[in-house]
Each structure stands twice: as structure tokens, then as C-alpha cells.
Amino acid sequence: MPEKAHEKTLAVLGVTAASQVSGLFSELAATAANELGRVDSRDLFEKFRVEWLGRKSGVLTLAADNWLKQAAPELKPAVGQELNKFKRDLESLMAARLAAIESGSDDSAPVRDRVDLSLPGVIRPVGSRHLIRQVFSEIEDIFVSIGFSVVEGPEIETPYYNFEALNIPEFHPVREDMDTFYLELPKGAPGPLLLRTHTSPVQIRTMEKRQPPVRVIVPGKVYRRDNPDATHSFMFHQIEGLAVDSDITFCDFTGTIEYFVKQFFGPSVKTRFRPSYFPFTEPSVEFDVSCIFCGGGGTGAGGGSCGKCKGSGWIELFGAGMVDPAVYGFVNYDPKKVSGFAFGMGMDRLAMLKYGIDDIQVFFQNDVRFLKQFP
Ligand code: PHE
């Protein structure tokens, strides 16, 4: 195409037949496409736009003035059609170019720099939260909804927090099954340390730091001298609960527990408590829930007695009680002014009951076939 053909009339260019018109436009289109190919920034795009579509002296305006308006009458329809088509094509090419510039995927970039956004991505398998974690959150949500907050404490404890401040002096018989994983410390290190045997030490740590009212739950790992079997593991999980205020009664305590159990297992379960013993609660109780498997009737699916509750209709859930006034002495609370309750639930056990898992070991074996069942 002659240089700046659009500045000349068709007559000057020697275009006299309709058949020559489309050749003229396809050359113009090729020039435009070529120039547009080098446009790789907004600035260049704007320059290109003015050069081609600018109202006063853009190529298109000049082509309209010189080619269309001054065309011989018999050429006018062909020139008009070609001009419109050229304009439409150019506009859509430009729109695509602008989109490419804005999305950063630049077709004119060297091949090795190109990112093909239409290729399927690399799908990396996404993990899921462990069932224990999921059940922790379920329980936390229930208690948070009734005004408890979540706190945590160290897994390595001093005997003071794990025992003494919980009213378990040295040589107290309940230490028997707990006096267990002590750390080997370098010579001269202060005091013995052990892996906590329950989450109860965080009761003390919390009350040392806060004045009543206190309403906390404490999720975490605990360690005991238990031989592994279907229901025991040397490491397991507990959720401790503690509520202390000026007027907390045994009714608040059982009401709270009942609310939790119904939220967690469903509204049809019943609860009961039996007297029990913990040095740091008085009175102490053991909470039972009506058997989730046989509905509390004690009869199994086959007609015999239910294997889960051994025919009793009840399943032991966790220990709890009203905070023993002696404990307040360790944290400088006035036992005449405050009262409260505490509970310690075995998380793994709750998860096993709710999800029908019959071996605690599967929680810790990391077998994906098990883990995948709880996405
Ligand atoms: N810490 C007790 C245990 O691990 C459970 C418990 C917690 C009992 C709080 C009463 C109050 O067995």
C-alpha cells in the first residue's frame, strides 16, 4: 500500500473498480494489525487509538473524507461497506488488545514469558482438619455461645500447677495414675517438670491472672501412664471448663452441662450425674449421658443387650464438680464470696461416641483412609 494512502483520494490512487476496494482495505487492516501487535502498554494503546480513531485526523476519519466522500457514485456502496467492516474489526482487535494489556497476559511477549491462563491449573490436594480439631471447634462454639471464652496453657507443667494448687498434695493417692511423665532436666535446673496429666492446671493459671467472674474452657493435649488399647492412649485430649462467680450454684452447673450435652449429641439425650471424687471439686460428680447407640433402652440392634453401654442404657461421659473452696486459697480468691464449677471432658471419647469410632488409636495413626472420612 502506498505510504499514507488514506491521505489521497481513490482517483489519485488509481482505484476505479469495486474489485480494487477490498484489496485496499485489507492492506490497511494489515498495517493496523501490525502496529497494534507492538502496542503493549496503556500509553502506546492511547497513541494508537488517537492515530487510528482520532476524530480530527485519525486514519479512519481521513479514509472517510478522502475515500468515501470523494468516491465516484458507483464505488460508494462498496467503499462504505468496507469502511464499516474495517472499523468494526479494528475496534474488536483493539478491545482484545486492551484486555490483554490490563490482565497482564501479553500475547506479544516472548513465548517463554507468556502465561496461558486457559490451561488447567495444577490441582494440589487440600487437606482437612483432623476430626479432633473439628470436635474441639464444635465444643468451643457451644460454650462460646453461652459466654465462655477459650484459653490455653502449657503442656509441660510444674507439679505445683498439675497437683498441689489443685489440692493434690504429694503422696495423695490420686497421684497414683497421674504421677507420670517427668522430664529429664539438666543438673541444677530448678524443680521437676512433667507433661500435664489433665487440663486442670489451666484453672489455676487462669484464676491467678483474672478476677471473677471467670468463664473459660481449655482445649488441649494431656499425657498419662496408660497402655495403648482401643480406649486408652498415653496422649489424649481434654476440654476443661471453669466458671467462677459470686453466685454460681449446683443448678447453674447441671443446667450448663445439660445444655452442652444436648447441643452436642442432640435434644433427645438425657443426662444424669453420680457422686464421684476429685480433690479439687466438692461435691464431685461423674456425668453420664443416655446411651446414644441404643437410645437408653439398653437393648442392642440384635435384641440382646447393647454392647456400647453394656445394657445399662447409660454412658459415662466426664468428671466435674463444684470448685473445692481449698483451691480458691491457692489463687487468692475469697471462698466466702465466690463459688463455681469445673469439668474435664475427654475429647477423644466424645468424638468417638458422636462419630461411632471404636478405636481411639485411629486418631493418631494418620491413616488417610480414616482422615478422609471427615473432610
Ligand atoms: N481433671 C480431671 C481428670 O482429668 C477431670 C475434672 C476436671 C474433674 C474438672 C473435675 C473438675 O480426670
Side-chain angles (χ1 to χ4, degrees), residues 302-322:
S305 73
C306 170
K308 302 286 183 181
C309 62
K310 304 198 177 68
S312 73
W314 294 96
I315 287 184
E316 194 179 308
L317 263 196
F318 53 84
M322 299 301 285

Side-chain angles (χ1 to χ4, degrees), residues 218-370:
V218 187
K221 289 186 164 71
V222 300
Y223 302 82
R224 283 193 201 171
R225 195 192 59 196
D226 284 339
N227 287 320
D229 64 19
T231 53
H232 294 86
S233 164
F234 57 85
M235 185 281 293
F236 59 101
H237 302 84
Q238 286 190 330
I239 273 200
E240 190 85 8
L242 174 71
V244 180
D245 204 342
S246 52
D247 51 3
I248 291 192
T249 67
F250 199 85
C251 286
D252 298 318
F253 168 43
T254 53
T256 306
I257 296 297
E258 196 168 311
Y259 175 78
F260 160 72
V261 170
K262 284 190 192 305
Q263 289 291 309
F264 186 72
F265 285 113
S268 59
V269 297
K270 294 191 195 64
T271 52
R272 74 171 185 189
F273 56 85
R274 293 172 287 118
S276 183
Y277 174 75
F278 300 98
F280 39 93
T281 46
E282 180 61 35
S284 301
V285 303
E286 205 69 56
F287 258 94
D288 294 346
V289 60
S290 55
C291 180
I292 308 131
F293 302 96
C294 67
T299 323
S305 73
C306 170
K308 302 286 183 181
C309 62
K310 304 198 177 68
S312 73
W314 294 96
I315 287 184
E316 194 179 308
L317 263 196
F318 53 84
M322 299 301 285
V323 177
D324 192 310
V327 172
Y328 296 130
F330 288 94
V331 295
N332 290 327
Y333 279 14
D334 183 346
K336 289 200 190 66
K337 293 200 181 122
V338 297
S339 58
F341 60 83
F343 53 85
M345 315 194 267
M347 272 288 311
D348 313 76
R349 187 170 160 69
L350 287 177
M352 288 167 75
L353 288 173
K354 179 156 179 178
Y355 293 96
I357 294 158
D358 49 21
D359 185 355
I360 192 174
Q361 303 300 330
V362 296
F363 286 138
F364 312 124
Q365 286 162 346
N366 276 343
D367 185 334
V368 282
R369 288 170 302 178
F370 168 73

